[in-house]
Amino acid sequence: MAKPENKLSTATPLTPKKRAILVGASSGIGAALAQRLADEGYQIALLARRGKMLEKLTNEINQKHGETRAVYYIHDVTDHESVPELLKKIIADLGGLDTFIYNAGISFMVGLKKYDFEKDHQTFDVNVTGALAWFNPVAELFQSLKSGQIVGVSSVAGERGRVGNPSYNASKAALTCYLEALRNRLTRYGVNVLTVKPGPVETDMIKDAKGVLFPISAEQAAGDIFNAMRKRKQEVYTSARWRWIMLVLRNIPSIIFRKMTF
Ligand SMILES: NC(=O)c1ccc[n+]([C@@H]2O[C@H](COP(=O)([O-])OP(=O)(O)OC[C@H]3O[C@@H](n4cnc5c(N)ncnc54)[C@H](OP(=O)(O)O)[C@@H]3O)[C@@H](O)[C@H]2O)c1
């Protein structure tokens, strides 16, 4: 279901505007990135399930800038069939599309000795299948336009299978791999594909987690993501120290890694 709020101001050759879709915009990293993109002059379509949060964020952005820079659409990414029509509608509302960001994600805490297929299934549905439902038509569009930028928010969690959250790790590994393949297809058409790998970020997702290492704010993560977008990078760790931490973690031999309890 879509619910555009106000009319966006029209871009003209003398006042060009970047137009972006941000899926998973209602809280945390997505909400902070929405604010940052609006500050940078983007016109953005904000998508998620929680309409009240989207409405509040949209109003905040538009009041801050004194014009309509954000519109919102209530959407559940597990409703894959609705994506092609919704994408068409949003592109018409925005008057085009330059950037697509998939940030929606869920993570369930499952006890170290527990197995839960229902939660695993939901995790894959949101973190992977929902992403593919959007990436496919957007990739096709950008390929034909020979321009555009695709951003996928994956995780450092996708770099190793850990005992704590196997399906989340596996879902982010799948997303990272898919984004790499998309990049390899689309770079030749001038389309940039950025994979974002956050370490711990202080959002609702990790509010119950204990002893997290080097957490950063959602605003800092959004700043790192925006800078990487601006430089048209292929991959960004946020914070940057996670590049080096993961270099070490990736190289810990399995015989040692399997004894760890995180
Ligand atoms: N926080 C961390 O430490 C961390 C670390 C690495 C990676 N990440 C990744 O960063 C991304 C953002 O997470 P966050 O930390 O900012 O957590 P968050 O505040 O819980 O944000 C998750 C976002 O995903 C949306 N979402 C979830 N299920 C959805 C569905 N079925 N349909 C549409 N939207 C859905 C949520 O919106 P609604 O609930 O309103 O639908 C929300 O906007 C996720 O992909 C996460 O895996 C986070």
Side-chain angles (χ1 to χ4, degrees):
M1 187 176 64
K3 189 178 186 309
E5 274 295 272
N6 298 305
K7 272 264 164 260
L8 293 153
S9 55
T10 318
T12 69
L14 290 179
T15 55
K17 292 181 195 301
K18 286 253 186 205
R19 296 144 306 183
I21 294 176
L22 173 44
V23 181
S26 54
S27 61
I29 299 171
L33 187 56
Q35 294 271 14
R36 181 61 193 264
L37 291 173
D39 288 349
E40 301 289 341
Y42 275 72
Q43 293 192 323
I44 32 175
L46 308 176
L47 278 66
R49 291 166 303 176
R50 287 171 293 172
K52 285 253 153 31
M53 313 250 315
L54 289 177
E55 186 177 17
K56 185 166 171 280
L57 178 64
T58 302
N59 288 341
E60 260 172 44
I61 289 172
N62 294 339
Q63 273 161 21
K64 179 176 176 187
H65 296 286
E67 64 173 8
T68 303
R69 290 197 183 177
V71 287
Y72 73 91
Y73 304 78
I74 297 166
H75 170 66
D76 185 330
V77 297
T78 63
D79 180 9
H80 312 133
E81 288 73 28
S82 69
V83 173
E85 276 309 305
L86 181 54
L87 177 62
K88 262 194 231 159
K89 168 152 187 43
I90 297 173
I91 291 174
D93 291 344
L94 291 177
L97 186 67
D98 306 288
T99 305
F100 175 81
I101 304 160
Y102 193 90
N103 171 69
I106 54 172
S107 167
F108 294 109
M109 286 298 160
V110 178
L112 282 189
K113 294 182 182 169
K114 293 256 163 55
Y115 299 86
D116 189 325
F117 174 70
E118 189 41 47
K119 286 181 176 163
D120 291 351
H121 192 188
Q122 282 181 50
T123 303
F124 265 71
D125 218 8
V126 173
N127 297 4
V128 184
T129 316
L132 303 194
W134 279 96
F135 284 145
N136 275 286
V138 171
E140 203 167 12
L141 172 72
F142 285 168
Q143 180 174 291
S144 67
L145 292 174
K146 295 193 170 54
S147 71
Q149 182 168 49
I150 292 175
V151 181
V153 180
S154 187
S155 174
V156 295
E159 297 200 357
R160 281 218 79 164
R162 293 190 258 138
V163 291
N165 206 340
S167 64
Y168 182 72
N169 289 181
S171 72
K172 292 299 188 179
L175 184 63
T176 297
C177 187
Y178 181 84
L179 286 164
E180 183 187 7
L182 211 53
R183 177 179 310 115
N184 293 341
R185 279 183 165 216
L186 293 177
T187 302
R188 69 197 70 183
Y189 296 98
V191 180
N192 172 247
V193 178
L194 169 66
T195 306
V196 180
K197 295 181 177 176
V201 182
E202 287 157 341
T203 67
D204 287 352
M205 185 172 276
I206 63 161
K207 68 179 186 308
D208 298 325
K210 292 187 182 66
V212 290
L213 212 55
F214 310 124
I216 59 168
S217 68
E219 289 69 30
Q220 187 181 334
D224 287 345
I225 296 168
F226 180 74
N227 287 336
M229 287 170 65
R230 194 166 44 80
K231 293 176 186 160
R232 292 180 75 82
K233 287 194 169 180
Q234 303 191 3
E235 180 185 77
V236 62
Y237 286 83
T238 173
S239 62
R241 57 155 58 99
W242 282 92
R243 177 175 296 281
W244 310 111
I245 297 172
M246 293 317 296
L247 182 65
V248 174
L249 282 183
R250 275 199 310 275
N251 287 291
I252 295 177
S254 172
I255 194 162
I256 298 169
F257 200 74
R258 75 177 78 131
K259 296 196 174 95
M260 296 181 166
T261 53
F262 69 99

